[in-house]
Amino acid sequence: MGRQTRAYVDLEALRYNFRLAQRHAGEAAAMAVVKADGYGHGLEAVARALDSEATRFAVASLEEAERLRSAGIEQPIVLLQGFHDPDDIRTCVSLALEPVVHSEHQLVAIEQASLGGSLAVWLKINTGMNRLGFPPADADAVIARARLIEGVNLLGLMTHYACADDRDETMTAHQNGLFSALARRYPDLMFSASNSAGHFRESSPRFDWTRPGIMLYGATPMIAESAAELGLRAVMTLEARLTAIRTLQPGDAVGYGSTWRAEQPTPMGIVSIGYGDGYPRHAPTGTPIWIDGVRITTLGRVSMDMLAVNLTAAPHARPGDKVELWGANVPVDEVARHAGTIGYELLTGVTARVPRVYSE
């Protein structure tokens, strides 16, 4: 049977979260963002689960798009970073992919390419994120150039919010103002701005397409609101087994660096998971874990293949018991806060040696 460390993926919870995103999108349509191997949940399984729900998918790379096509996904697939090499343009044509063109060199490559068919593209407009995209002042000229390229079908414009996860900021309103001005000038094009956080900003326009990502997987996109408060359901349950139990005596230390010492007799358990599986090494003593219907906490440093827990609150725990590292009882965002990171990183960081087990 081997080591029973597993990531259980609830596909019905995934679909529930997508439907919630679509409700928040209103009259706009939601394209499912499944990049980074479906945020660590398994690209093909996630896409197939949403195949009857989503009418468009979005990924970060050509390799991810090719995997979706090989898995039988027929919907339009948006390449959020576009293509990285001019030779990839023909692949976009042959697989009916929709690259997002964000830079002058990409536009020139398309102008100089022999397409061999029709290429649908989006243009990225930089309204304040300042990573990728054309300046709003250049939008008219770039749109005109794209429309002159034979074989190119300009679908629409995209932008990306920088601060939508914070309800108290003003950047999102500024970005919406710039993007809305373009939308009024080009009513024949589609517009897309909202990431997951944008779905929960009631005053933000939804335009034509939203792009839910992390919310699909049951983690919060908002700074001060939990996934449960937003109505989201946990999709991944990361589970391992208790492999050993011992009682530490006062003065006994645990793990590398002896960073934690017992001040009184303390029942300690060892759990078969560590940073080699994607559990954060920097999770400190006191990070919550669930076993036998109660919360317990970690002790000392996380090792590559195991971690220690304080079993004082779970006196009936025995080797072989299931341990939830995150899931319905311990939200991944709570673990992330203890570890000084975000739920995105933990979900996408679960390594390949942890089997994904899917259920409906």
Side-chain angles (χ1 to χ4, degrees):
M1 181 175 289
R3 194 177 69 135
Q4 294 298 294
T5 301
R6 300 285 187 269
Y8 293 94
V9 179
D10 184 344
L11 298 176
E12 183 52 39
L14 174 75
R15 286 188 286 266
Y16 174 89
N17 293 338
F18 180 84
R19 293 167 192 151
L20 181 65
Q22 184 58 72
R23 288 198 294 274
H24 280 289
E27 295 182 0
M31 68 175 75
V33 181
V34 295
K35 62 182 181 176
D37 197 33
Y39 284 61
H41 294 68
L43 176 62
E44 290 83 356
V46 164
R48 289 189 182 113
L50 295 176
D51 189 43
S52 62
E53 308 274 347
T55 55
R56 225 180 204 99
F57 288 93
V59 295
S61 69
L62 183 65
E63 292 82 2
E64 291 172 332
E66 290 174 324
R67 286 173 58 186
L68 288 182
R69 288 290 185 243
S70 295
I73 299 301
E74 298 179 351
Q75 290 91 326
I77 300 173
V78 177
L79 295 181
L80 294 173
Q81 292 186 22
F83 54 87
H84 294 273
D85 189 284
D87 292 339
D88 295 334
I89 296 174
R90 293 295 292 268
T91 304
C92 292
V93 172
S94 65
L95 295 181
L97 308 180
E98 299 175 355
V100 177
V101 178
H102 56 74
S103 302
E104 172 70 14
H105 73 275
Q106 290 179 321
L107 189 58
V108 169
I110 295 174
E111 289 173 327
Q112 296 177 349
S114 175
L115 296 179
S118 178
L119 177 66
V121 302
W122 296 77
L123 295 177
K124 184 71 168 284
I125 304 299
N126 174 26
T127 58
M129 186 71 167
N130 286 318
R131 294 188 308 187
L132 302 175
F134 297 97
D138 295 348
D140 293 332
V142 173
I143 291 170
R145 283 176 63 184
R147 283 177 159 168
L148 287 174
I149 305 173
E150 184 177 355
V152 167
N153 175 21
L154 177 59
L155 298 174
L157 275 61
M158 286 190 181
T159 197
H160 194 68
Y161 292 142
C163 304
D165 56 349
D166 181 357
R167 291 188 185 276
D168 295 327
E169 54 80 36
T170 59
M171 172 61 85
T172 303
H174 170 72
Q175 290 185 269
N176 281 329
L178 294 172
F179 207 52
S180 295
L182 286 171
R184 288 191 294 270
R185 292 210 300 276
Y186 295 97
D188 58 317
L189 296 178
M190 297 187 294
F191 283 73
S192 175
S194 288
N195 53 7
S196 287
H199 290 75
F200 300 99
R201 299 293 296 266
E202 290 76 10
S203 61
S204 289
R206 300 298 188 257
F207 297 103
D208 301 293
W209 286 90
T210 65
R211 306 191 302 276
I214 191 64
M215 69 177 294
L216 301 183
Y217 308 96
T220 182
M222 307 300 289
I223 287 178
E225 296 162 86
S226 70
E229 289 171 331
L230 297 174
L232 299 169
R233 294 181 181 175
V235 175
M236 179 190 289
T237 297
L238 184 63
E239 185 178 288
R241 298 297 177 99
L242 194 63
T243 61
I245 296 175
R246 64 182 299 172
T247 299
L248 300 174
Q249 299 303 319
D252 286 348
V254 175
Y256 290 114
S258 299
T259 60
W260 185 87
R261 290 182 181 275
E263 297 180 354
Q264 58 191 16
T266 303
M268 179 201 71
I270 298 297
V271 181
S272 58
I273 195 168
Y275 62 79
D277 304 290
Y279 193 84
R281 181 181 181 274
H282 41 288
T285 293
T287 301
I289 283 174
W290 183 267
I291 185 173
D292 197 27
V294 297
R295 280 194 170 207
I296 58 174
T297 60
T298 60
L299 291 177
R301 288 182 183 168
V302 175
S303 301
M304 180 181 290
D305 310 304
M306 65 189 80
L307 55 81
V309 294
N310 187 334
L311 291 174
T312 301
H316 303 297
R318 295 293 181 267
D321 286 354
K322 296 178 181 180
V323 179
E324 179 188 306
L325 288 306
W326 63 67
N329 299 296
V330 180
V332 65
D333 299 304
E334 185 176 356
V335 178
R337 283 196 299 274
H338 279 266
T341 184
I342 56 178
Y344 301 67
E345 183 180 10
L346 298 192
L347 292 175
T348 60
V350 177
T351 65
R353 79 171 182 174
V354 179
R356 274 64 166 174
V357 180
Y358 299 97
S359 71
E360 295 293 337

